[in-house]
Amino acid sequence: MPEITYLQAISDGLREEMRHDESVFCLGEDIGAFGGAFKVTDGFIEEFGADRVWDTPLAENAIIGTAVGAAAEGLRPVCEMQFADFISCGFDQLVNVAAKMHYRQGLAVPMTVRLPSGGGFSGGPFHSQNPEAWFLQSPGLKVVAPSTPEDAKGLLSAAIRDPNPVVYLEHKHLYRRAKGEVAEGRFEIPLGEARVAREGTDLSVITYGAMVQLALDATEDLDGASVEVLDLRSLVPLDTGAILESVRKTSKVVVLHEATRSCGVGAEVSALIAQEAFEDLDGPVVRVTAPDTPVPFSPPLERAVLPQPDDVRRACLELLAY
């Protein structure tokens, strides 16, 4: 299998779905002639034409609203927000229309919203957010966050084929840094299934997205401890079985994510563990996250805010010694 980047895997997955099914089309700002802000759709307009690769105005509410209507009529739109932060301008159409369409009218809404998310590149407070928790409180939406090129391609294909609206978080820091072998051709990775990135017996680190590789690197040599790293991959639906299985095996848990601390994915996972596996724990569930603050523009300040390998190592060592 060829080794490609995370970005190329996303591009390949989208291109192959468009080749396979003419009902799949893309829309977003600068995705056509320019090829997308990060070049995911580079060359798409030449292959598929302007009828299936739409350059839209700077109007996220209109992009998502148009996609909802198209999906309700049987098409499979894939929206791109240039940055995940900008989804706030389309929030009403996504959480009050797309997410509730099946509940209210029995209609499938097979649309995917691609959100380039995360920091690590000095993008400042308006281009670096991790907004996944916004969508966990919106029944009707599915939410995925791949960490590897293989998962990026397989989860995107699954998202496009799913009859529900799917929020697809692709971390910008991984675009050209994460590389791996990816099967050629179309394949799907089922939504709602976590992946054990590394097996272990002494402690579990539960995470997703760009933090998976950070967790693997930070705990590779941790005073001889055997650290399991569980990659959630899918945040809605959440693989509760995989989480509880890992907790019951190791009895100590660190939950890691780049998003801000309060009311995030880590809080939900911690609550699940406290309710369902309290008696299996040999210590408190520890969260390593960004603090409740916007992401700074300054590189040193950004590094101070976003979780770093030393933060993970320190939390794991303290919990192991508990």
Side-chain angles (χ1 to χ4, degrees):
M1 291 189 294
E3 184 175 89
I4 60 175
T5 64
Y6 184 92
L7 186 149
Q8 189 61 52
I10 295 169
S11 182
D12 289 352
L14 181 55
R15 182 182 290 106
E16 288 169 12
E17 289 300 323
M18 291 183 71
R19 288 172 178 171
H20 176 76
D21 184 351
E22 291 188 355
S23 71
V24 180
F25 72 98
C26 303
L27 66 165
E29 299 156 6
D30 292 329
I31 69 165
F34 187 68
F38 300 99
K39 301 300 181 181
V40 168
T41 53
D42 191 24
F44 275 46
I45 198 166
E46 288 81 5
E47 178 172 354
F48 300 107
D51 288 343
R52 295 181 66 197
V53 184
W54 296 7
D55 271 323
T56 67
L58 301 177
E60 285 77 14
N61 209 36
I63 294 169
I64 297 176
T66 299
V68 172
E73 289 295 317
L75 299 177
R76 294 185 179 272
V78 180
C79 310
E80 177 185 305
M81 303 289 105
Q82 275 195 349
F83 291 85
D85 316 58
F86 303 163
I87 191 66
S88 56
C89 295
F91 203 67
D92 177 61
Q93 288 290 343
L94 185 59
V95 305
N96 284 330
V97 182
K100 297 175 176 64
M101 188 74 80
H102 180 71
Y103 179 82
R104 296 181 67 190
Q105 296 175 260
L107 295 177
V109 186
M111 59 181 282
T112 303
V113 183
R114 292 182 40 237
L115 299 186
S117 62
F121 67 106
S122 298
F126 299 106
H127 299 80
S128 305
Q129 293 179 84
N130 293 275
E132 53 267 24
W134 297 355
F135 309 111
L136 304 187
Q137 276 273 314
S138 298
L141 298 178
K142 294 185 176 180
V143 184
V144 297
S147 67
T148 67
E150 181 180 40
D151 285 352
K153 182 178 179 180
L155 287 171
L156 180 58
S157 293
I160 293 170
R161 306 313 306 168
D162 199 275
N164 302 280
V166 180
V167 176
Y168 179 91
L169 294 142
E170 50 194 63
H171 200 289
K172 299 187 294 293
H173 190 74
L174 297 176
Y175 273 150
R176 292 174 175 84
R177 291 178 175 87
K179 298 179 180 180
E181 292 185 347
V182 179
E184 296 179 336
R186 293 177 67 243
F187 66 90
E188 296 182 21
I189 291 175
L191 308 186
E193 293 187 8
R195 173 183 71 96
V196 178
R198 184 177 65 218
E199 293 190 358
T201 56
D202 296 330
L203 181 146
S204 299
V205 178
I206 300 174
T207 187
Y208 57 91
M211 293 293 100
V212 173
Q213 189 59 51
L214 185 144
L216 289 168
D217 293 342
T219 62
E220 185 174 6
D221 183 12
L222 206 62
D223 293 348
S226 174
V227 178
E228 180 152 297
V229 176
L230 182 67
D231 178 1
L232 293 175
R233 300 199 292 194
S234 178
L235 308 180
V236 181
L238 188 65
D239 192 347
T240 58
I243 293 170
L244 296 175
E245 181 180 353
S246 184
V247 172
R248 288 168 178 149
K249 178 166 60 170
T250 68
S251 299
K252 292 186 175 181
V253 185
V254 170
V255 184
L256 167 66
H257 59 67
E258 186 181 307
T260 49
R261 185 179 184 86
S262 298
C263 305
V265 174
E268 178 63 26
V269 171
S270 299
L272 168 72
I273 295 168
Q275 181 172 321
E276 301 293 338
F278 179 78
E279 294 184 352
D280 298 288
L281 292 172
D282 287 336
V285 178
V286 176
R287 284 180 290 169
V288 177
T289 71
D292 293 332
T293 182
V295 180
F297 172 76
S298 161
L301 291 178
E302 183 185 43
R303 286 193 295 272
V305 164
L306 300 181
Q308 301 297 318
D310 282 346
D311 301 321
V312 178
R313 281 193 290 268
R314 188 180 310 112
C316 289
L317 288 169
E318 290 177 358
L319 184 55
L320 287 165
Y322 180 85

